[in-house]
Amino acid sequence: MSSSTSQYQEIEARSGKSGILNQPIAVWAIVFASIISFMGLGLVDPILPAIAEKLHASPSQVSLLFTSYNLVTGVAMLITGFVSSRLGTKWTLITGIFMIIIFAGLAGSSNAISSIVWFRGGWGLGNALFIATALSAIVGLSRSGTAKAIILYEAALGVGIAIGPLLGGELGSISWRGPFFGVSVLMALAFFFILFMMPNVPKPKKAIPISAPFKALAFPGLLTLGVTAFLYNFGMFTLMAYAPFVMHLDEHGLGYVFFGWGLLLAITSVFVAPKFQSWLGSVKSICIVLTLFAITLLVMGIGADTPKVVIIAVIVSGIFLGINNTLITTAVMESAPVERSVTSAAYSFVRFLGGAAAPYLAGKLAEWYNAKVPFYFGAAMVLIAVIFLFARRHHLAGIDAAESHH
């Protein structure tokens, strides 16, 4: 962030105008586009069983829609800083959105699961350019400091994830292709919103080298949070990619379940997470909510043969994931003394690798053993994340002090 931007934010804070809703139009443009972008993630949840049925694919094959998306997103994160420092924030966002429009439309036009998997990978490339740049842009342009800016970003994430399944369920009940075309149309709206409502943001004076994310991971605090997210993503994406197959609901029903999940995620990320952080501190709070999430996954495994148990557990898990997402993302932004776009890219690269492996592995574990095992495995990985974070908590000793200062 430039010194002039920092001085401007400092003046705003002193004048009492640094509330979370008092933001420049550029921030609201990015938040709007982020909501639509995150809707794209939840849109496909209600149609996973339908795709498996229509295209004669197994759950593990359908889960590759998440695997290709997350894998490409994670790897592409390594180049986002390199690209955005040369194209500029606005045109990097626009490029990412344009790619999502194209590849989501192509996925909806496909007739084979393999083609959709490849197009979801292209979608993931656009997603990487967008989300890494969006987070750093919101933090950099916000008038309210890092913590409140990230709450705004997480709120956009939660609202998008909540609304996405509802729309996906409605469109999916017409055709499994509907949600893919829906993403294209919605992202076209975001494209024009960013194009006309967001001013050009000056490029950084010094271009970011492609090696920057790797160097950032040398900071133990950032590496600790990245590995923690890598591990708990096994639980999160088991829930998102495999749980729909054991709930035995139609597209509408799955849409309502994941709407409830996303709604709780949005509410707790905005209103509950800051209270946890000020009460217990970031590390203790993350350890507690991830332990509760692991217990929820364990309950899902025990009740995998009882759809009502899985349905309730999925919705309740939104509480824990909402709190965790805000706390860990805020901590990441203060974990390394490098540009925020580089920090975000390095962290996202590590965590999305977990999101890439988890969906396919969950489907395979169910095929090899039974429907309970994916949830047990997810719970175990989340508990390992808690142990890992707690063991390395000394690397994050200054996080809460930095957040309080900002």
Side-chain angles (χ1 to χ4, degrees), residues 357-387:
Y360 183 72
L361 183 58
K364 279 298 181 183
L365 287 172
E367 292 172 15
W368 293 335
Y369 301 103
N370 56 60
K372 299 175 182 289
V373 174
F375 298 112
Y376 291 152
F377 180 77
M381 294 297 280
V382 175
L383 285 176
I384 293 172
V386 173
I387 295 168

Side-chain angles (χ1 to χ4, degrees), residues 245-403:
F245 290 99
V246 298
M247 286 190 272
H248 303 299
L249 296 173
D250 62 12
E251 291 85 352
H252 286 291
L254 289 172
Y256 290 132
V257 170
F258 281 98
F259 168 73
W261 174 76
L263 187 63
L264 289 178
L265 188 149
I267 291 171
T268 55
S269 66
V270 175
F271 298 108
V272 181
K275 296 184 184 298
F276 265 75
Q277 191 274 328
S278 61
W279 178 35
L280 296 172
S282 297
V283 173
K284 286 183 180 178
S285 297
I286 293 170
C287 288
I288 289 171
V289 295
L290 286 183
T291 300
L292 293 172
F293 178 46
I295 293 171
T296 306
L297 287 168
L298 185 62
V299 170
M300 292 170 70
I302 294 170
D305 297 327
T306 309
K308 287 184 179 179
V309 172
V310 178
I311 290 168
I312 294 171
V314 166
I315 295 172
V316 169
S317 71
I319 297 172
F320 312 129
L321 289 171
I323 298 170
N324 175 75
N325 285 353
T326 294
L327 290 174
I328 200 166
T329 305
T330 306
V332 164
M333 289 294 107
E334 304 295 346
S335 63
V338 296
E339 292 90 345
R340 290 192 174 101
S341 60
V342 174
T343 304
S344 175
Y347 165 73
S348 296
F349 164 66
V350 178
R351 74 183 176 103
F352 271 110
L353 293 181
Y360 183 72
L361 183 58
K364 279 298 181 183
L365 287 172
E367 292 172 15
W368 293 335
Y369 301 103
N370 56 60
K372 299 175 182 289
V373 174
F375 298 112
Y376 291 152
F377 180 77
M381 294 297 280
V382 175
L383 285 176
I384 293 172
V386 173
I387 295 168
F388 179 81
L389 177 61
F390 188 76
R392 292 174 60 90
R393 66 191 182 281
H394 58 282
H395 292 303
L396 302 166
I399 292 294
D400 291 314
E403 289 170 13

Side-chain angles (χ1 to χ4, degrees), residues 204-237:
K205 294 179 180 179
K206 184 179 179 181
I208 297 173
I210 202 165
S211 60
F214 293 105
K215 292 180 179 178
L217 289 171
F219 292 98
L222 178 58
L223 182 62
T224 297
L225 293 170
V227 173
T228 300
F230 168 84
L231 293 167
Y232 83 70
N233 264 354
F234 277 87
M236 180 174 173
F237 281 95

Side-chain angles (χ1 to χ4, degrees), residues 97-107 184:
I97 291 172
F98 182 74
M99 294 182 72
I100 294 172
I101 294 170
I102 297 300
F103 284 108
L106 289 172
S184 278

Side-chain angles (χ1 to χ4, degrees), residues 31-44:
V31 168
F32 174 78
S34 296
I35 290 173
I36 298 176
S37 174
F38 289 121
M39 284 174 64
L41 184 64
L43 271 169
V44 300

